[in-house]
């Protein structure tokens, strides 16, 4: 088998895995649930269904294949910049059956194109980039659809086994030490890395301590019980104003019933104390950290803890090394519908000893979403560039519903600091240099 055949097989596998997941998420509910808006924060599921097909047609059939558009008149309906999510239910969208048919038609032609494509002709096809980008794009929308499912009200339709219990979590130290010094952040070599992860560049990071695991429900409940939501000392001015305006009192989907109960995909159960906290905004994570006498890690600190190998001096693709995620090292891919208990996945630990940096929950960092030095938008400005600026905060690491194809040690996610329908938690840090000062 040639390298090209192996790449073709990998691409076909990733595209079909994404489509299987899309199909699952859009067939467990009925047509009324596909066209309904479950939250003004989200598109109707049927919009995502046709949008992934439309992007696949745009980038693979039209750009790579040079084919004529199938239905150019629908392009504006599925352009995320033309209509905000809250307005999408009012558009003349393709009906569920039409959206499925369109996706099937596009995919059939993409498989023909894949047979003919050589992976060294143009920058778009080099290393299979455009195909990898489209597999990641569909998986990102699958994660968005999973968030829509979490917001949906009604009898549960999704189920999955719980994550495996950790073997040695009780003996873990609360924090790990990351020595100061330079490390390589970002990548110039990962073939399917997106533009905002590029280029690789050296960053000098002062020594710091980082929580070994994400902050747990029990720790977060202690912040609530201590009056954390009523004490402006812990909040930034913007965070406090938002806490007041939005009436925040606990993570999204938590309810007080004499004990804290969390609704997860339609199932209400008492919170699991040692599970990482989920569905908190950046403002809440930041306030918790200040209450705990700590702070959120910067994006560079997070990536150094996750990728830097002090023995070789190089940055790894993942905390555990360079091999692709497996079920033994990380909770990814929607195999489970919740994060694993804090301290799980010892085989996925970073050299520093930090665990669960990849998988389980997205982790808020203190950093604004900004370009790396030498950034160039590729292949379109609307993926990253139009979002750069202080209004977005960076999240790292991926959650249980993130596909391995859309998750790397370099992968950057971003959202507004008020958002909490995303699968976000956090861990805290403190500077080590202060101790010697
Ligand atoms: C990277 C998750 C912020 O959903 O807005 C999907 C991914 N970009 N379609 C988003 C994305 C275009 C993006 N995030
Ligand atoms: Fe999209």
């Amino acid at each position: 088998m040639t390298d090209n055949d192996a790449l073709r097989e990998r691409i076909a596998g990733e595209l079909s895995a994404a489509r299987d997941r899309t199909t699952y998420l859009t067939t467990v509910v009925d047509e009324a649930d596909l066209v309904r808006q479950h939250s003004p924060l989200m598109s109707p599921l049927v919009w995502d269904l046709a949008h992934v097909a439309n992007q696949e047609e745009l980038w693979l059939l039209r750009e790579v294949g040079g084919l004529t558009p199938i239905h150019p008149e629908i392009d504006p309906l599925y352009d995320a910049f033309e209509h905000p999510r809250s307005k999408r239910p009012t558009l003349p969208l393709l009906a569920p059956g039409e959206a499925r048919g369109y996706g099937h038609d596009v995919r059939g032609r993409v498989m023909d194109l894949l047979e003919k494509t050589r992976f060294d002709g143009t920058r778009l096809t080099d290393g299979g980039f455009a195909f990898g980008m489209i597999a990641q794009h569909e998986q990102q929308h699958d994660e968005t659809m999973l968030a829509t499912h979490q917001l949906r009200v009604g009898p549960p339709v999704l189920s999955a086994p719980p994550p495996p219990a950790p073997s040695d979590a009780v003996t873990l130290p609360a924090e790990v030490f990351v020595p100061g010094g330079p490390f390589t952040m970002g990548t110039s070599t990962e073939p399917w890395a997106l533009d905002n992860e590029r280029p690789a560049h050296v960053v000098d990071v002062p020594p710091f301590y980082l929580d070994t695991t994400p902050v747990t429900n029990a720790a977060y409940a202690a912040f609530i019980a201590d009056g954390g939501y009523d004490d402006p000392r812990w909040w930034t001015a913007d965070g406090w104003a938002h806490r007041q305006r939005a009436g925040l009192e606990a993570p999204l989907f938590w309810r007080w019933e004499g004990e804290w109960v969390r609704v997860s995909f339609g199932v209400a159960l008492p919170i699991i104390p040692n599970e990482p906290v989920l569905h908190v905004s950046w403002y809440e994570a930041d306030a918790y950290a200040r209450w705990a006498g700590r702070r959120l890690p910067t994006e560079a600190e997070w990536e150094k803890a996750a990728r830097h190998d002090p023995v070789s001096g190089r940055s790894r693709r993942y905390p555990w090394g360079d091999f692709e995620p497996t079920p033994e090292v990380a909770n990814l891919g929607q195999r489970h519908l919740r994060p694993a208990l804090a301290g799980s996945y010892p085989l996925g630990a970073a050299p520093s000893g930090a665990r669960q940096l990849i998988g389980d929950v997205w982790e808020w960092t203190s950093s604004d979403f900004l370009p790396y030095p030498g950034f160039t938008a590729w292949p379109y400005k609307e993926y990253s560039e139009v979002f750069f600026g202080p209004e977005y905060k960076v999240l790292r690491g991926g959650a249980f519903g993130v596909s391995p194809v859309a998750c790397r040690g370099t992968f950057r996610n971003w959202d507004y600091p008020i958002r909490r329908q995303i699968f976000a938690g956090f861990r805290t840090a403190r500077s080590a240099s202060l101790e010697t000062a």
Side-chain angles (χ1 to χ4, degrees):
M1 197 157 88
T2 68
D3 286 356
N4 272 355
D5 290 337
L7 181 54
R8 236 174 234 118
E9 233 170 77
R10 159 125 211 265
I11 289 168
E14 292 296 356
L15 289 174
S16 82
R19 188 54 48 88
D20 288 349
R21 185 176 174 199
T22 303
T23 302
Y24 173 64
L25 290 168
T26 55
T27 50
V28 290
V29 290
D30 61 20
E31 296 226 342
D33 261 353
L34 289 178
V35 301
R36 177 172 301 146
Q37 186 157 51
H38 297 278
S39 157
L41 294 174
M42 310 308 282
S43 313
L45 293 165
V46 74
W47 185 89
D48 292 275
L49 190 57
H51 166 78
V52 297
N54 187 239
Q55 288 286 302
E56 185 167 328
E57 192 200 341
L58 284 171
W59 287 106
L60 299 183
L61 299 184
R62 299 189 207 172
E63 290 295 326
V64 174
L67 301 178
T68 39
I70 305 177
H71 310 291
E73 71 284 359
I74 67 170
D75 291 352
L77 294 175
Y78 297 104
D79 179 338
F81 290 85
E82 293 253 351
H83 312 279
R85 285 179 174 179
S86 61
K87 294 278 156 20
R88 292 177 191 166
T90 64
L91 301 172
L93 299 176
L94 297 185
E98 294 169 329
R100 279 192 200 102
Y102 175 49
H104 184 77
D105 183 11
V106 170
R107 181 57 59 86
R109 300 184 202 206
V110 164
M111 296 316 285
D112 294 341
L113 176 68
L114 180 59
E115 284 306 313
K116 295 188 301 206
T117 304
R118 302 181 52 85
F119 301 112
D120 51 10
T122 65
R123 189 163 166 210
L124 214 46
T125 54
D126 232 2
F129 175 79
F131 294 90
M133 178 182 82
I134 285 301
Q136 291 181 70
H137 180 256
E138 183 159 348
Q139 288 282 5
Q140 288 178 321
H141 278 272
D142 289 336
E143 186 191 5
T144 299
M145 290 195 272
L146 191 65
T148 306
H149 271 273
Q150 169 63 7
L151 286 159
R152 172 184 164 270
V153 174
V157 293
L158 299 175
S159 65
S167 42
D168 63 346
V170 277
T171 60
L172 289 175
E175 58 181 6
V176 300
F177 178 64
V178 180
F183 91 107
T184 301
M185 186 171 184
T187 177
S188 301
T189 53
E190 186 70 38
W192 292 359
L194 302 171
D195 59 0
N196 65 52
E197 300 165 67
R198 302 169 184 268
H201 58 290
V202 173
V203 179
D204 199 353
V205 180
F208 67 102
Y209 291 89
L210 183 68
D211 289 343
T212 306
T213 72
V215 169
T216 64
N217 286 329
Y220 199 84
F223 165 64
I224 302 174
D226 196 43
Y229 278 83
D230 301 316
D231 194 334
R233 274 184 303 164
W234 312 134
W235 301 72
T236 60
D238 286 353
W240 183 249
H242 175 66
R243 177 260 167 263
Q244 299 290 78
R245 200 179 328 111
L248 302 186
E249 290 181 340
L252 186 59
F253 307 116
W254 283 33
R255 289 200 304 243
W256 180 255
E257 296 181 1
E259 63 182 331
W260 284 113
V261 166
R262 181 168 92 84
V263 182
S264 173
F265 300 105
V267 181
L269 285 173
I271 57 165
I272 298 173
N274 201 30
E275 186 177 272
V277 70
L278 197 53
H279 298 300
V280 289
S281 61
W282 184 91
Y283 287 132
E284 289 165 296
D286 175 71
Y288 171 98
R290 206 165 288 108
W291 168 80
R294 300 171 69 83
R295 58 176 175 77
L296 293 177
T298 66
E299 182 181 12
E301 286 173 335
W302 189 97
E303 187 169 322
K304 186 176 183 188
R307 298 185 62 214
H308 182 62
D309 174 6
V311 175
S312 67
R314 53 176 284 282
S315 286
R316 301 167 161 198
R317 298 176 68 212
Y318 302 98
W320 53 82
D322 291 333
F323 67 90
E324 303 282 317
T326 64
E328 288 71 43
V329 296
N331 181 11
L332 291 167
Q334 203 186 299
R335 292 193 312 275
H336 311 294
L337 288 170
R338 55 194 320 124
L341 298 185
S344 296
Y345 300 105
L347 298 177
S352 63
R355 294 202 184 172
Q356 295 167 290
L357 285 158
I358 297 287
D360 295 298
V361 295
W362 283 108
E363 300 183 18
W364 286 112
T365 71
S366 62
S367 301
D368 297 339
F369 184 47
L370 295 173
Y372 291 159
F375 168 87
T376 48
W378 170 257
Y380 63 115
K381 283 187 167 42
E382 292 76 15
Y383 183 77
S384 311
E385 191 176 278
V386 300
F387 297 102
F388 287 141
E391 36 320 333
Y392 290 98
K393 299 294 183 190
V394 172
L395 300 113
R396 290 301 205 100
F400 60 88
V402 171
S403 161
V405 78
C407 194
R408 294 169 285 280
T410 55
F411 191 93
R412 308 172 76 196
N413 194 4
W414 65 93
D415 215 326
Y416 291 120
I418 63 170
R419 287 289 182 251
R420 44 191 214 157
Q421 87 283 3
I422 55 175
F423 299 101
F426 63 103
R427 71 180 80 207
T428 71
R430 68 184 169 100
S431 299
S433 26
L434 293 177
E435 289 182 336
T436 54

